[in-house]
Amino acid sequence: MKSTVLISSVLAQENDITNYRIRSTYPDAVRAAGGVPVLDVGGDACECAAHFDGLLLTGGYDLDPALYGEPPLNDRVIIQKDPR
């Protein structure tokens, strides 16, 4: 049986439509490795984890180091506001 891999997604709200988005490269990579990709559309992470063989975290915005009382380590850290 093939392994199922839960892939995290980005929630995007446009007008009255909610979309969950990921780059196609993520499920393509899971398929290429012999797995079955499944898109995460929210829910309890602990409850969901019990139903999958793996988890692929696709990333997101950099966390602002100021949240932890620290300055950015270099100029490559890009802090953006979450558009949600």
Side-chain angles (χ1 to χ4, degrees), residues 3-48:
S3 296
T4 55
V5 179
L6 185 64
I7 304 173
S8 66
S9 64
V10 174
L11 179 65
Q13 187 75 33
E14 297 174 3
N15 300 318
D16 293 333
I17 299 171
T18 300
N19 294 297
Y20 294 90
R21 297 181 179 171
I22 59 170
R23 294 190 182 277
S24 61
T25 52
Y26 295 113
D28 291 349
V30 171
R31 281 189 207 96
V36 177
V38 179
L39 179 64
D40 170 35
V41 292
D44 183 280
C46 292
E47 186 177 303
C48 290

Side-chain angles (χ1 to χ4, degrees), residues 46-60:
C46 292
E47 186 177 303
C48 290
H51 300 285
F52 298 95
D53 301 304
L55 172 64
L56 175 57
L57 299 173
T58 60

